[in-house]
Amino acid sequence: PRIDASYLGSDLSLYHATETVPSFFTSDIYKRYLRPNAVVMPLPFANTNGALNLLWQADTDMYFRMASGYFGYTPPDYNSPLLPALQGGPLPSDAPAQLRAFLSAHTVDDVIVDASKAPMWLPVLAHLRLRPIRVGGVLVYRVPAAWRAGRPV
């Protein structure tokens, strides 16, 4: 893209957003908590904040994979009932069950939460009895291996 591009008739750059990336990703802290190529579920979900979570991944030199992404649209076959909530909508009444199903279906190893931007997910994760590890400006939740083993939810 032309990084010097501006809005028509304005001096305001199209690329003027600034985001603070937690130190978990900008230092080597992540290597102590994530295994290489782990599947990470970032919260907030990428579609709610542009490409911030892609910055998390880029700052780690693609150390981990993500169970989300932002490419400007949602593929039609991506039909999780949890998707509206992940994109900033209200939580469904069965959010814990839906999140557990999502984590299982996408073989997620870890959930990483920026609590300042996704506080609504903290009670859902607590309901699932996942315990947070507070480190480097994020909360890391380990997903039990049994949930990823294809066992029924």
Side-chain angles (χ1 to χ4, degrees):
R2 283 193 48 209
I3 59 171
D4 64 338
S6 60
Y7 288 102
L8 188 62
S10 168
D11 290 335
L12 182 62
S13 169
L14 287 172
Y15 304 101
H16 65 278
T18 57
E19 289 288 349
T20 303
V21 177
S23 64
F24 182 82
F25 301 104
T26 58
S27 67
D28 284 345
I29 296 172
Y30 64 90
K31 290 181 180 178
R32 287 185 266 159
Y33 295 90
L34 305 177
R35 65 174 176 74
N37 293 313
V39 177
V40 168
M41 173 66 185
L43 292 172
F45 198 69
N47 281 7
T48 63
N49 60 352
L52 174 60
N53 298 335
L54 296 177
L55 288 175
W56 292 3
Q57 196 177 33
D59 280 344
T60 65
D61 292 324
M62 309 303 274
Y63 186 82
F64 58 89
R65 297 178 294 149
M66 286 197 302
S68 71
Y70 179 74
F71 303 102
Y73 76 101
T74 302
D77 62 338
Y78 197 79
N79 57 4
S80 168
L82 194 59
L83 191 59
L86 290 170
Q87 293 178 327
L91 288 172
S93 59
D94 62 345
Q98 291 292 337
L99 182 59
R100 182 173 171 179
F102 184 95
L103 298 174
S104 178
H106 296 281
T107 61
V108 172
D109 297 297
D110 304 280
V111 176
I112 300 180
V113 181
D114 180 339
S116 69
K117 295 185 175 152
M120 68 188 236
W121 291 101
L122 301 182
V124 176
L125 291 158
H127 188 272
L128 291 174
R129 294 194 171 107
L130 297 177
R131 305 264 188 259
I133 302 167
R134 290 185 181 275
V135 60
V138 299
L139 301 172
V140 178
Y141 295 82
R142 302 237 185 263
V143 176
W147 293 11
R148 300 186 308 272
R151 295 183 183 153
V153 175

